[in-house]
Amino acid sequence: MAINIEPFQYRLSGPALQVYPGAHPGQMVGNGQLFKRHEALIARPDPRRIDLRASLLDPFGQYRVKAHQEHSRVEVMVLADLSASMTFVGRRDKRRTIVEILQAIVESAHAAGDRVGFAGFGAADRPLVFQPPGSIDLGGVERWFEALSRLKLKPGCDGLWRARAYLPARRSLVFLIGDGHWPLVRLPALLASLGRHELVPLLLWDEQEYLTMPDWGLLVWQDLETGRRRRVWMRPALKRRIETAYQQRRRQLQHAFRAFGHEPMFIEQGYRAEQFNQYFLARAA
């Protein structure tokens, strides 16, 4: 399967903490290009960067040198909900969308000089799939869809609440991919465990889950988590109740994520680079 995915541009809301050079404004001060502050020559003995005007204005008569902000690398981690509900296939296969997003992140990170890792969680404490940062190459992502398709997904994703143990120690950019069908009462604990990192929630929804049902007819619903089937006589009133419930669920998820300073991105048309670019531009505004 050959996937041609357009990358996107991402950025952090704060300085990167890595000591390795990269494309993101970092906390370290040194030989970068962005002016940060003036320092005393004795503290930063580099006479090439003496600022004569600042030195003349110094009340203590010291030579002042320019200190510049260095750019650093950032670690990128992708956390994925691999519970049974992620096997849903409507207008798009949710597992295919995960792979498309992962490839876009890998290509975008490669252009910025960053490293990407992946961890997919089910009900167990340990991830079903784990690749530490730097172990995913551009050519290997195309095989991920076949690997995820062969993986038998089971109910539950309790492992996400223990994902912190598989993240880098320093502040990183973390993409959280799922369908958002998590217990709302447990969501604050998950977000608190990831509070050290810069979190980007990506919620995969499909309009065939709630918008394309007929007004009248006998439907058979299946709960992907439990496998139970249920016959329902669809009618306009019930259809409106289902659509209203999804709208309410969207607002509840937005409220839960915003309480921790994160804006969720609802992905309903598959991966689109322009949606990701607009998202990160809005975060930087």
Side-chain angles (χ1 to χ4, degrees), residues 2 59 129 140 163 244 249 257 275:
V129 182
T244 301
R249 179 71 177 186
F257 280 107
Q275 182 182 14

Side-chain angles (χ1 to χ4, degrees), residues 199-202 253-254 257-258 260-266 279 282-283:
L199 185 65
V200 178
L202 307 177
L253 288 169
Q254 288 174 332
F257 280 107
R258 288 170 180 172
F260 284 81
H262 312 302
E263 183 65 30
M265 184 195 310
F266 288 85
Y279 177 86
R283 280 164 53 106

